[in-house]
Amino acid sequence: MSDALVIQDVDYTFPGWPPVVQGANLRVEAGQICCLVGRSGCGKTTLLKLAAGLLQPDRGHIERGADAGFVFQAPTLLEWLRVVDNVLLPVSLKRRVTSLDLQRAQQLLEQLGLGALAQRYPRQLSGGQQSRVSLARALILRPALLLLDEPFAALDAITREELQHDLHELCAQQGTTVVFVTHDIAEAVYLGDRVAVVDAGRVAQEIAVRLPRPRLRSSLPFAEACTQVRTAMHLDEEAPA
Ligand SMILES: Nc1ncnc2c1ncn2[C@@H]1O[C@H](COP(=O)(O)OP(=O)(O)OP(=O)(O)O)[C@@H](O)[C@H]1O
């Protein structure tokens, strides 16, 4: 398998501040889902921005294909565009929208359970529906690599689980490689082929999740995989006396 993303010996410092990313290494195979977990402030978002090319490393190098899609925590839809036109925005920024593009947008919306809402405006949608539109927009150009920064963090637990399922289905269908930043260990274990634990600006440990799909959150192997990640994050260690 070839790698869709390679981060090699990367350092990054925001000018005037202590280093944020130090000696980071990560390889993500094409078609795999890699989840980044770690304590608040450990550098997950900065690593994702480096992977996206939104920040340039001070040292080391990053390889990825030209076509990456992004989904950030807030859905960032344009209020004055209908749902379908929000989905088509990445296309219309590049070229004239064709009837094939329209068909594809409608198909993505249907796969995400929003087929009937294509003509609504973002303010007429729930938070979960807005997140789905945001996901459809990120996938409309069929990017080889999708980078997501806690895209479901603001959603209730049930909607979040539904979206995790939908994201996996869509990406598996298209063979999309995914890097997904989350605070939620169960989300990382549900989605990830691998979970990378980030600590002090580098990938401290990588855990392969070899559970069959669809994954059962209530199963013992699922709980064991979560425990493995918690242990790698040193979450269950006793506080010093
Ligand atoms: N623009 C900036 N200028 C200076 N320091 C920054 C800037 N952005 C982030 N940092 C610092 O870099 C460190 C890593 O931030 P980052 O957002 O990558 O962490 P994170 O792991 O994604 O955190 P969280 O889980 O809380 O979102 C933090 O200490 C943060 O204060």
Side-chain angles (χ1 to χ4, degrees):
M1 265 278 184
S2 62
D3 292 318
L5 173 69
V6 179
I7 296 179
Q8 202 173 357
D9 295 326
V10 163
D11 292 349
Y12 183 79
T13 302
F14 289 101
W17 297 94
V20 170
V21 171
Q22 296 187 80
N25 286 289
L26 182 71
R27 281 177 184 271
V28 186
E29 277 180 21
Q32 280 217 330
I33 300 183
C34 177
C35 293
L36 302 186
V37 297
R39 289 172 184 274
S40 181
C42 68
K44 302 180 296 297
T45 295
T46 308
L47 259 179
L48 201 72
K49 285 184 178 166
L50 285 159
L54 298 172
L55 295 173
Q56 296 307 315
D58 300 329
R59 191 181 73 93
H61 83 273
I62 294 175
E63 281 169 37
R64 65 169 173 89
D67 57 330
F70 313 103
V71 183
F72 299 103
Q73 190 168 345
T76 63
L77 300 176
L78 299 182
E79 286 298 325
W80 59 92
L81 290 183
R82 292 178 193 275
V83 162
V84 66
D85 297 318
N86 263 289
V87 174
L88 286 164
L89 186 68
V91 182
S92 56
L93 289 173
K94 276 189 133 177
R95 56 174 168 77
R96 182 185 274 271
V97 171
T98 66
S99 59
L100 262 180
D101 297 321
L102 250 171
Q103 258 177 39
R104 167 145 175 84
Q106 193 62 41
Q107 186 196 1
L108 272 171
L109 286 169
E110 262 152 37
Q111 283 176 300
L112 287 162
L114 298 179
L117 306 184
Q119 296 305 318
R120 289 206 189 175
Y121 289 94
R123 65 175 176 279
Q124 298 166 328
L125 303 181
S126 71
Q129 289 165 341
Q130 290 186 27
S131 293
R132 288 188 157 87
V133 176
S134 191
L135 195 53
R137 183 181 59 186
L139 289 169
I140 187 77
L141 288 172
R142 298 180 192 271
L145 176 66
L146 187 58
L147 303 164
L148 305 102
D149 193 0
E150 299 192 58
F152 310 145
L155 305 176
D156 66 276
I158 297 172
T159 308
R160 204 175 162 132
E161 289 186 4
E162 286 170 0
L163 270 159
Q164 290 161 8
H165 171 82
D166 292 346
L167 171 68
H168 174 258
E169 290 274 296
L170 282 171
C171 292
Q173 257 175 33
Q174 296 186 17
T176 314
T177 310
V178 176
V179 181
F180 190 105
V181 168
T182 178
H183 275 115
D184 181 337
I185 292 170
E187 183 167 67
V189 168
Y190 182 82
L191 278 172
D193 296 300
R194 276 189 311 147
V195 177
V197 176
V198 181
D199 185 28
R202 64 190 180 89
V203 176
Q205 200 170 326
E206 290 187 51
I207 295 162
V209 184
R210 296 202 175 84
L211 304 174
R213 299 187 192 262
R215 292 180 175 168
L216 277 181
R217 293 178 178 85
S218 57
S219 71
L220 185 59
F222 191 91
E224 285 168 350
C226 291
T227 304
Q228 211 185 339
V229 176
R230 289 183 67 83
T231 305
M233 292 172 73
H234 306 290
L235 289 182
D236 295 325
E237 289 170 10
E238 277 182 42

